[in-house]
Amino acid sequence: MFSLSGQKALVIGIANEQSIAWGCAKALKAQGADLAVTWLNAKAEPHVRPLAEAIGAAIMGPLDVSVPGQLEAIFSQIAQTWGGLDTLVHSIAFAPKTDLHGRVIDCSPEGFGLAMDISVHSFLRMIRLAEPLMPQGGTCLSVSFFGASRVVRHYNMMGPVKAALESAVRYAAAELGEKGIRVHALSPGPLATRAASGIDHFDELLQAASERAPTHQLATIEDVGAMAAFLASNAARNLTGGVHDIDGGFSITA
Ligand code: NAD
C-alpha cells in the first residue's frame, strides 16, 4: 500500500544530514522512489553531493530559486531524463536576519518580499513547472510551522510568511485537485537544523515542545519523512490541501 516503487521524486532543501529535506529524501528512497536532489550553490555542494550519491540520486544539480533560470533548468533535466515527476518536496525558507530578529511590524518591505519569494512563491513556481510532468497526478509538499497560525515568540516575520504558505497550499490544492495533483504542508515541531539556528532563543522552543507535547518527544526528520512518504503514496490519493502536524501533539495543547 505504501510502496513508492517506480515513482520519481524531486527533493529541494537538503543542506546537510540534519535537514528536513534529507529526512524526506531518505524515506522516499526507502519506499522505492528514484530521486532528484539539488543544492543551493557551490558552497553547499560538498555537503549535499555525498548525500545525493548515498541515496543514488539520478539527477542532481544547483538550485537557488532566486537565480533566474535555475528552477527551469532542473525541471527540464527531469523532463528529459524521466519524462515525468510524481512527488515534489519544497523544504526551503529564507528571511534576512535583521528582519527576522525584529518585530513583525518593523520588518522591511524588501526583507518581507524576499522571505515571501523564497519561502512561498518559489513553491508556486515549482508546482507550475511540475504540473505538466504530472499528467496522472502527483504530490507537492512544502514545510510549514505552528507559528503560521499562533504567535510563537521569536518566530516573528516567519509567522505571516508561513501563514501565506499554508494558504497557498490550500489554493493550489483546490486548483489542481481535479488533475489528481495533491498539495500539502508538513508542519513539524521544532527541530535543530541550520535554518532553525537563525531563530533567536530556538533552544527555548525545543524545550517548550518537549515539555508540552503529549508524547514529550521532539519531532525528528525521520518522522517528517514518514509522513511525506505516506502522502506521496497511493494510500493518500484522496487527501489534499492539508497542514499535517508532526509534533507529538504539541499543537493540541493550550
Ligand atoms: P535547513 O537549513 O536544513 O534547510 C533549509 C534549506 O533552504 C537549505 O537547504 C537552504 O539551502 C534552502 N534555501 C534557502 N534559500 C534558498 C534559495 N534561495 N534557493 C534554494 N534553496 C534555498 O533547515 P530545515 O529546518 O530543514 O528547513 C526546511 C524547511 O522546514 C523550511 O521551510 C523551514 O522553515 C521548515 N521548518 C523547519 C522547522 C525547524 O524547526 N527546523 C520547523 C518547521 C518548519
Side-chain angles (χ1 to χ4, degrees), residues 9-252:
L10 168 62
V11 177
I12 294 166
I14 301 174
N16 53 41
E17 277 182 305
Q18 280 78 49
S19 295
I20 291 168
W22 176 237
C24 294
K26 283 193 297 181
L28 294 168
K29 177 70 185 175
Q31 296 310 308
D34 296 325
L35 291 186
V37 161
T38 64
W39 46 77
L40 179 63
N41 51 28
K43 200 170 151 211
E45 181 178 346
H47 304 282
V48 184
R49 184 184 275 279
L51 299 177
E53 286 171 356
I55 50 169
I59 297 169
M60 56 183 97
L63 173 60
D64 179 334
V65 295
S66 62
V67 175
Q70 284 198 343
L71 192 54
E72 289 73 13
I74 195 85
F75 274 89
S76 110
Q77 213 183 323
I78 285 171
Q80 278 165 25
T81 311
W82 285 337
L85 184 69
D86 300 288
T87 300
L88 162 69
V89 178
H90 168 280
S91 183
I92 71 173
F94 177 78
K97 276 235 166 71
T98 43
D99 291 301
L100 180 61
H101 290 169
R103 300 187 306 174
V104 173
I105 58 172
D106 294 328
C107 74
S108 69
E110 297 78 19
F112 190 72
L114 187 60
M116 287 288 281
D117 184 64
I118 292 175
S119 316
V120 184
H121 193 261
S122 69
F123 187 42
L124 298 175
R125 297 201 288 279
M126 286 177 201
I127 297 173
R128 198 168 60 236
L129 289 165
E131 182 185 4
L133 297 176
M134 295 178 165
Q136 313 299 328
T139 311
C140 300
L141 304 173
S142 187
V143 190
S144 189
F145 183 60
F146 182 63
S149 54
R150 296 285 188 280
V151 175
V152 173
R153 271 185 87 207
H154 309 299
Y155 201 58
N156 301 345
M157 191 179 86
M158 283 312 284
V161 171
K162 291 299 191 190
L165 177 69
E166 293 183 4
S167 181
V169 161
R170 287 186 284 273
Y171 277 87
E175 288 168 1
L176 296 173
E178 65 188 9
K179 294 188 169 180
I181 299 175
R182 301 174 291 107
V183 188
H184 295 278
L186 307 164
S187 185
L191 289 125
T193 62
R194 214 179 63 195
S197 67
I199 295 166
D200 263 346
H201 303 279
F202 188 73
D203 48 334
E204 290 172 18
L205 264 187
L206 288 173
Q207 199 184 337
S210 63
E211 276 170 19
R212 260 180 54 190
T215 64
H216 300 296
Q217 303 290 319
L218 289 173
T220 66
I221 63 167
E222 287 75 21
D223 296 334
V224 186
M227 180 62 100
F230 164 68
L231 290 172
S233 77
N234 196 42
R237 63 190 170 275
N238 205 21
L239 272 62
T240 194
V243 176
H244 303 276
D245 297 317
I246 306 153
D247 63 355
F250 177 87
S251 50
I252 65 164

